[in-house]
Amino acid sequence: MKILVIGGGGREHAIIKKLRENPRISKIYAMPGNGGIEGEAQCLPGKPVDIKAALAYIQEYGIDFAVVSPDDPLVQGMADSIRASGIPAFGPSAKAARIEGSKVFSKRLMEKYSIPTASCEVFDGFDPALDYIRSQKQYPVVIKADGLALGKGVFIARNEDEAEGALRRIMEERIFGESGNRVVVEEFLEGPEVTVLAFTDSKTIVPLPSSMDHKRAGDGDSGSNTGGMGVIAPNPCYTEETAELCMKTIFLPTIDAMNREGSPFKGCLYFGLMLTGEGPKVIEYNCRFGDPEAQAVLPFLETDLLSIMQAVEEERLAEIEVRCRSGASCCLVLASGGYPEAYGTGFPVTGLENVSQKNTWIFHAGTALKDGIVSSGGRVLGITVFADNLKAAVDGAYREAEKIRFEGMYYRKDIGKKAMEWLYTESM
Ligand code: AMP
Ligand code: GLY
């Protein structure tokens, strides 16, 4: 079989490495891929949102199955177009991808079907939103742009000034363009955060091991929000009891709600959860694997990924067993100095050959292949180590990261620290 994977980050590299374990696959193509993916798939030029280019490649190379991985092509309907051309694909329809593409859609869905989430108000004009914010007594409040915003559309405002500033940036300065036509003003939730990635074919839902992302750039959750600086899995805050509760109150009700709305969801559904004093609540849905979460979670999979993706597409997920190994993983992101703000690129990456071959994966996120591997993005590499327990996984990821160098490279020094503190206090 020939497979086309859309995207070119660490998540796509993780997907491709996993797919390559399947001997039925003769060749993988990636659009656009990256410097590390180049060794494992044929990289084809094109932006991940270029539906026409994807369809042309599918024809030209005789692709049998496509994996649409990032949010924007999904929201823009790439999976629909590929299916319409007669080729099966992994990834939700545009209608189903609204669960991520519009926060207003997802909030209304949760409200209508009583899925626990932060209470909120929706505004489509600056003045009414400002009036509402001025009437707020309790801070912080959370202000979210409705549409996709490269993961930067959420503001946590600690006072009226910050709230007004956020609102101006979204609705007046239009920093996210059309995505800021509407805003959601939402109650601030507290508690440990958990990510759960789940395969679903709209009838059956199969969660993968839970995980914990670290979104801020600096240690101790300081600094700007990023796409994610590191992940550990499983998340020790997410007990078996919580998992059962989430299945009953969140996961199953969500796929049911999507079916009732005429938008059955097929693909990987990302649940961003907050374990509040009142129980687990949804912070956000994404219509795809998380990045870097996928880099920490996919290495758990024992069942062949292509078989799962095909079962999802053919709506027979209930017929296959999705097996995961036990243990723990840590994915540490090596980033370019300055990220998530301005950073330099083109720096040679050295030491990759010294990284252990055992239970260790190097996922390329922002690299290009020139004479050797050079940096080309903000998040450059994800180093994932799998071990028997969390501490060994975290120690392993830090040990391997020390072998790698590029100019300006930085990484957080405390990935997994919170999780280990939690594990330790809970088990006392
Ligand atoms: P998102 O871009 O939706 O992933 O949100 C970014 C981050 O903002 C989340 O990972 C949370 O840490 C935080 N966040 C979003 N919504 C809320 C909320 N209602 N209460 C507290 N924190 C939130
Ligand atoms: N790591 C967060 C996301 O993929 O949206």
Side-chain angles (χ1 to χ4, degrees), residues 102 122 268 350 375:
S102 168
V122 175
C268 174
T350 59
S375 64

Side-chain angles (χ1 to χ4, degrees), residues 209 233-234 299-302 323-329 359 386-389:
F300 279 84
L301 259 191
E302 285 179 331
R323 276 186 325 276
C324 284
R325 47 180 177 157
S326 57
S329 73
N359 288 324
F386 197 95
D388 290 341
N389 60 65

Side-chain angles (χ1 to χ4, degrees), residues 40-60:
E40 295 168 72
Q42 183 175 334
C43 294
L44 304 168
K47 291 208 173 87
V49 286
D50 193 340
I51 296 180
K52 262 201 184 141
L55 293 176
Y57 287 139
I58 285 170
Q59 279 276 321
E60 184 179 348

Side-chain angles (χ1 to χ4, degrees), residues 120-139:
C120 80
E121 296 285 335
V122 175
F123 298 96
D124 57 10
F126 177 77
D127 292 330
L130 187 62
D131 285 345
Y132 176 76
I133 277 168
R134 289 196 169 136
S135 72
Q136 277 295 306
K137 299 275 173 291
Q138 241 184 337
Y139 281 92

Side-chain angles (χ1 to χ4, degrees), residues 11 213 215 227-228 270 284 286 288-293 379:
R11 168 182 53 199
D213 193 6
K215 285 212 163 91
Y270 171 125
E284 60 161 347
N286 290 327
R288 46 159 179 97
F289 290 104
D291 193 0
E293 286 94 335
R379 292 187 292 177

